[in-house]
Amino acid sequence: MRGPLLNPKSNDYAQFDPETRRLLRATIDFFESYGKQRLLQADLDAEWVADFLEFQKKEKLFATFLTPAAYADGDENRRWDGARNAALSEIFGFYGLAYWYAEQVTILGLGPIWMSANEKAKTKAAQQLLDGEVMAFGLSEREHGADVYSTDMVLTPDADGQGFTASGTKYYIGNGNVAGMVSVFGRRSDIDGPEGYVFFTADSRHPNYKLIGNVVHGQMYVSTFELDGYPVTADDILHTGPEAFAAALNTVNVGKFNLCHGSIGMCTHSLYEAITHSNNRILYGNPVTDFSHVQGNFVDAYARLTAMKLFSDRAIDYFRSASRDDRRYLLFNPVTKSKVTSEGETVMTLLLDVVAAKGYEKNTYFHQANRFIGWLPRLEGTVHVNVAQILKFMPNYFFNPAEYVDIATRNDATDDAFFFAQGPVGGAGKVQFADWKAAYESFRDVANVGVFFRQAKALQSLLETAPPTAEQAKDLDFVLTIGHLFTLVVYGQLILEQAAATSLDLDVLNRIFDFQIRDFSGYAVSLYGKPSATSEQQEWALGAVRRPAADAESFDRVWQQVKVLDGAYVMPD
Ligand SMILES: Cc1cc2nc3c(=O)[nH]c(=O)nc-3n(C[C@H](O)[C@H](O)[C@H](O)COP(=O)(O)OP(=O)(O)OC[C@H]3O[C@@H](n4cnc5c(N)ncnc54)[C@H](O)[C@@H]3O)c2cc1C
């Protein structure tokens, strides 16, 4: 792990260069000096994040973190660096989803710009970031949801053939109220199919850009806006044809990767509040934390949160080391998105069941995090869409491994130029992986890793002996259950790799695989109950249910690690 769970009192970000360290600390200090009351009131009042944007402008925070080196005029501090961006996302999540979201949609808005060959747009974006502006990503539409192919944002060519007039409405577009550059996805009126796609930039202050409103109530501005005869010149065009669609997907690859660290930050702050409350709450003469079920919830939440962080931190290394020849990140990124953010919801529910009424009090960060934790799995493609994507990698993952040079921890101050040069999309079924079993074998002596490893191997055999039939393969409800089982194996692999890299405490690792076994068993039972499951598959499913190895002493050692978090961090008023 890149250090233990975030604690604003002690995190020094020693792994980064001085300017990165300074800015991460300055961001923490901004929120700490803002104070808890002000922070929570801003949320309750649905106040736009203007103070924060003023801070980021003054510190050139987004300019420093979100400008690729090629557009940084030789300033070595400005670069796109996935490791420090993840650390920043975690801080934002720790203090509020609204701050995270203002940056997230700026990242998404910048994606199609940095991926384009439009030098004027790129130079303009770099300057706007220096001026403190934020960006937006205009892909979604009210009528079409995930079906982005069916866009009704239509570009009609001008009579002189030099530009277009764009008309149409976008929905769910963050920062659409203020963004200097809104990257908008649309299609030409005169060309059908993928050849007609266009990505272009619009200025939210232009008179033909009509802001209709915020579709949510909150600090986040999730806008709907209309382009009404908006003039699009050659300088505004970022991508055309299938490349425009690839830019949309490749941008989401970059963006979805930030969701996990946002979720981790939200859960971490909530864990501090939960344990500090519960450990000091006396019921029937004893602390609430004396209850065995309360300890159980805390240990499970702590193990799950630690796993979220282990997986996500390791995924950084794969993404930063990716190339056209190593596209393993295409599997790990949707796992960060769907699995890690879903685990965030599970962690919050475990904690909420303990703190109970306290979790709804308006003077807690918990209350806010609990309201928002479920947003993350539903942003940038739902869990379903991502698990469907994950499934495409399963055959090669299990049955067609390749040799790769080991990827080390990547905290180096390198510009991640590949993020914006991912190339054509597709070919998921061709991506190969190193042998997944290696990570499991090195920890097979940890009791629950050993049990889970047997479950994972059983899944591999199911795919050989009783794979989904042609009919079942068309039934998403059936195959998504297989997708969740497979996701657990991938999740476990990177957790183990990161556990090795960080010398994780083996008791904690054992607890992580305790829930991995239980979750695998749960999905196996779900598969058993599917109407179309064959008798062989049913037999397999029941046979795959396993019991974690019980170890009361190991459990207690982990509980002590959670208990000492009582008072470890309290946000100043
Ligand atoms: C708070 C918030 C902020 C957002 N910000 C932005 C933004 O800044 N820019 C932007 O462009 N968009 C944004 N979005 C939109 C977001 O990306 C969409 O919500 C998301 O893509 C899903 O669309 P939908 O919610 O309309 O669901 P729908 O597409 O209507 O999906 C309905 C159901 O069908 C399932 N489904 C759909 N397609 C598939 C498939 N291929 N495989 C399996 N299941 C499928 C879904 O899982 C879901 O259960 C935001 C959304 C929210 C909630």
Side-chain angles (χ1 to χ4, degrees):
M1 214 171 346
R2 285 172 171 78
L5 297 181
L6 168 58
N7 185 336
K9 275 165 50 181
S10 51
N11 263 57
D12 60 4
Y13 297 102
Q15 68 271 40
F16 296 124
D17 62 276
E19 179 60 3
T20 300
R21 266 202 313 266
R22 187 191 74 75
L23 277 171
L24 293 172
R25 271 312 317 177
T27 306
I28 288 178
D29 294 344
F30 164 77
F31 287 113
E32 292 283 300
S33 59
Y34 210 50
K36 188 167 184 171
Q37 285 186 18
R38 178 80 184 87
L39 187 90
L40 299 185
Q41 198 58 46
D43 167 56
L44 295 171
D45 294 345
E47 182 185 314
W48 171 241
V49 292
D51 290 346
F52 164 69
L53 293 183
E54 206 40 53
F55 156 78
Q56 85 77 18
K57 176 180 179 173
K58 181 170 96 18
E59 294 292 349
K60 300 200 185 328
L61 181 64
F62 291 176
T64 307
F65 277 53
L66 306 182
T67 309
Y71 294 88
D73 290 332
D75 173 357
E76 62 178 23
N77 290 318
R78 278 192 285 155
R79 63 177 185 276
W80 198 288
D81 170 339
R84 66 179 186 169
N85 283 355
L88 187 62
S89 275
E90 187 181 16
I91 295 172
F92 290 150
F94 193 92
Y95 291 106
L97 189 71
Y99 308 101
W100 174 90
Y101 186 67
E103 194 218 18
Q104 174 72 359
V105 289
T106 297
I107 289 174
L108 293 172
L110 287 166
I113 299 173
W114 299 140
M115 283 170 198
S116 79
N118 182 335
E119 290 302 319
K120 278 194 181 160
K122 292 200 262 192
T123 310
K124 183 171 159 188
Q127 186 56 49
Q128 286 206 357
L129 287 172
L130 279 175
D131 296 341
E133 303 265 11
V134 295
M135 310 295 172
F137 182 63
L139 182 63
S140 297
E141 294 173 24
R142 185 176 200 168
E143 303 303 324
H144 302 303
D147 177 16
V148 291
Y149 307 86
S150 304
T151 173
D152 286 323
M153 174 62 71
V154 178
L155 291 97
T156 307
D158 295 339
D160 62 7
Q162 297 299 302
F164 299 92
T165 303
S167 291
T169 305
K170 290 283 174 182
Y171 207 71
Y172 303 128
I173 311 305
N175 289 354
N177 52 332
V178 292
M181 293 170 90
V182 183
S183 294
V184 182
F185 184 74
R187 64 176 166 85
R188 290 176 62 144
S189 61
D190 56 333
I191 301 177
D192 286 338
E195 291 302 327
Y197 292 140
V198 182
F199 234 125
F200 62 98
T201 66
D203 183 341
S204 72
R205 287 157 292 214
H206 192 283
N208 299 62
Y209 180 108
K210 303 204 164 134
L211 182 65
I212 299 169
N214 190 351
V215 302
V216 304
H217 175 76
Q219 288 190 273
M220 288 172 257
Y221 203 103
V222 185
S223 73
T224 177
F225 68 82
E226 182 190 359
L227 295 188
D228 181 12
Y230 188 99
V232 178
T233 69
D235 289 349
D236 302 321
I237 294 179
L238 301 171
H239 305 272
T240 56
E243 204 196 291
F245 193 68
L249 296 191
N250 286 335
T251 293
V252 172
N253 284 341
V254 177
K256 68 172 57 158
F257 171 73
N258 280 316
L259 294 152
C260 54
H261 285 93
S263 187
I264 291 165
M266 290 165 84
C267 293
T268 305
H269 194 159
S270 302
L271 174 65
Y272 288 126
E273 279 193 347
I275 187 68
T276 304
H277 167 71
S278 302
N279 207 36
N280 293 288
R281 185 164 174 79
I282 308 294
L283 294 187
Y284 321 109
N286 297 307
V288 164
T289 45
D290 278 4
F291 283 124
S292 62
H293 64 287
V294 167
Q295 291 179 9
N297 273 33
F298 269 120
V299 166
D300 208 24
Y302 181 72
R304 286 180 190 270
L305 177 54
T306 306
M308 287 163 66
K309 194 156 164 69
L310 290 164
F311 180 89
S312 305
D313 282 353
R314 182 60 176 149
I316 294 172
D317 304 333
Y318 282 99
F319 199 11
R320 298 198 76 195
S321 302
S323 67
R324 299 262 175 116
D325 299 324
D326 180 357
R327 303 201 305 155
R328 288 177 285 178
Y329 74 102
L330 292 175
L331 168 61
F332 302 140
N333 281 17
V335 177
T336 62
K337 194 253 126 83
S338 57
K339 179 69 180 169
V340 177
T341 62
S342 298
E343 283 292 283
E345 283 191 286
T346 305
V347 167
M348 290 302 295
T349 304
L350 285 163
L351 297 176
L352 183 61
D353 285 341
V354 170
V355 297
K358 184 81 183 171
Y360 298 96
E361 279 184 25
K362 66 184 180 190
N363 62 351
T364 61
Y365 178 70
F366 195 105
H367 166 60
Q368 188 188 134
N370 190 48
R371 270 189 294 123
F372 290 133
I373 196 73
W375 292 41
L376 291 162
R378 287 148 193 107
L379 285 165
E380 287 177 56
T382 57
V383 170
H384 298 142
V385 171
N386 278 278
V387 175
Q389 202 175 337
I390 286 166
L391 271 165
K392 295 182 187 158
F393 299 92
M394 189 167 67
N396 268 359
Y397 182 91
F398 276 135
F399 302 112
N400 186 20
E403 291 289 324
Y404 284 98
V405 176
D406 279 348
I407 288 179
T409 301
R410 294 290 313 274
N411 283 326
D412 43 289
T414 305
D415 180 63
D416 293 325
F418 177 74
F419 286 20
F420 304 105
Q422 294 172 61
V425 292
K430 296 201 184 101
V431 178
Q432 289 181 282
F433 298 86
D435 182 8
W436 64 277
K437 294 191 283 310
Y440 283 93
E441 264 149 13
S442 55
F443 283 106
R444 66 187 314 160
D445 292 341
V446 175
N448 285 324
V449 176
V451 176
F452 182 81
F453 189 23
R454 287 194 285 283
Q455 286 180 308
K457 283 190 288 194
L459 177 63
Q460 192 175 18
S461 336
L462 171 76
L463 299 172
E464 282 171 317
T465 56
T469 62
E471 204 52 37
Q472 286 172 334
K474 284 190 253 157
D475 172 7
L476 262 184
D477 183 48
F478 185 87
V479 289
L480 285 180
T481 309
I482 304 263
H484 285 297
L485 288 164
F486 172 52
T487 299
L488 284 167
V489 179
V490 178
Y491 198 51
Q493 180 201 330
L494 266 60
I495 288 168
L496 290 168
E497 289 179 9
Q498 191 67 357
T502 57
S503 308
L504 182 75
D505 176 69
L506 294 184
D507 288 320
V508 175
L509 189 65
N510 203 30
R511 293 311 309 172
I512 288 173
F513 279 82
D514 182 290
F515 76 71
Q516 285 274 100
I517 295 164
R518 286 182 280 123
D519 292 354
F520 192 98
S521 300
Y523 284 115
V525 171
S526 169
L527 192 77
Y528 174 73
K530 292 291 167 204
S532 72
T534 63
S535 51
E536 255 181 311
Q537 289 164 345
Q538 290 175 39
E539 198 182 320
W540 175 88
L542 291 185
V545 173
R546 286 275 181 284
R547 205 173 169 271
D551 184 339
E553 284 174 14
S554 173
F555 174 92
D556 192 57
R557 287 193 292 270
V558 178
W559 162 237
Q560 295 307 324
Q561 292 186 35
V562 187
K563 201 174 170 187
V564 295
L565 296 179
D566 169 9
Y569 169 75
V570 179
M571 187 168 181
D573 275 342

